[in-house]
Amino acid sequence: MRSEDTPFEGGPLDGRVLPVLLGHTGHPPKVYEVPVPDEHGGAPTVLVYHRVQAGTTRRLGLHKGWKYVYDPEGRRPDRSLKWPWTKRPRPGADV
């Protein structure tokens, strides 16, 4: 599998460049989760980073690559269907 050196911004990995495996489309994953073990043997803390565009070229506005930005709230994107004709309640929603 191919990997790409991807920079990280914010959080504990700020300023680091790590190799990230690419998917079959040639892009890194949209969400990168890093489990950090607890010092006292408890449940590990999960750091969440979201993929954003690293920049564009000045003249043509072409894509320059990807970088990851730290999400301090640790939210995962909502993966439910976004079609208006589906009326299923979201998990955890009071019905």
Side-chain angles (χ1 to χ4, degrees):
M1 294 197 81
R2 271 185 39 200
S3 65
E4 181 178 291
D5 290 339
T6 309
F8 286 77
E9 288 186 0
L13 297 179
D14 189 28
R16 293 190 186 187
V17 178
L18 300 176
V20 176
L21 290 176
L22 303 178
H24 64 280
T25 60
H27 298 291
K30 290 181 181 180
V31 177
Y32 193 80
E33 296 179 344
V34 182
V36 178
D38 188 31
E39 295 176 3
H40 305 292
T45 303
V46 178
L47 304 175
V48 178
Y49 286 84
H50 293 280
R51 180 185 75 185
V52 296
Q53 190 173 5
T56 57
T57 59
R58 288 174 30 157
R59 199 160 186 186
L60 297 176
L62 298 176
H63 177 71
K64 277 189 166 179
W66 302 104
K67 66 181 176 180
Y68 283 104
V69 177
Y70 178 64
D71 183 4
E73 296 177 7
R75 292 174 289 148
R76 294 228 4 123
D78 185 19
R79 294 182 180 251
S80 64
L81 299 175
K82 305 249 186 303
W83 298 311
W85 58 84
T86 58
K87 298 295 182 184
R88 284 189 261 166
R90 291 187 179 184
D94 191 24
V95 178

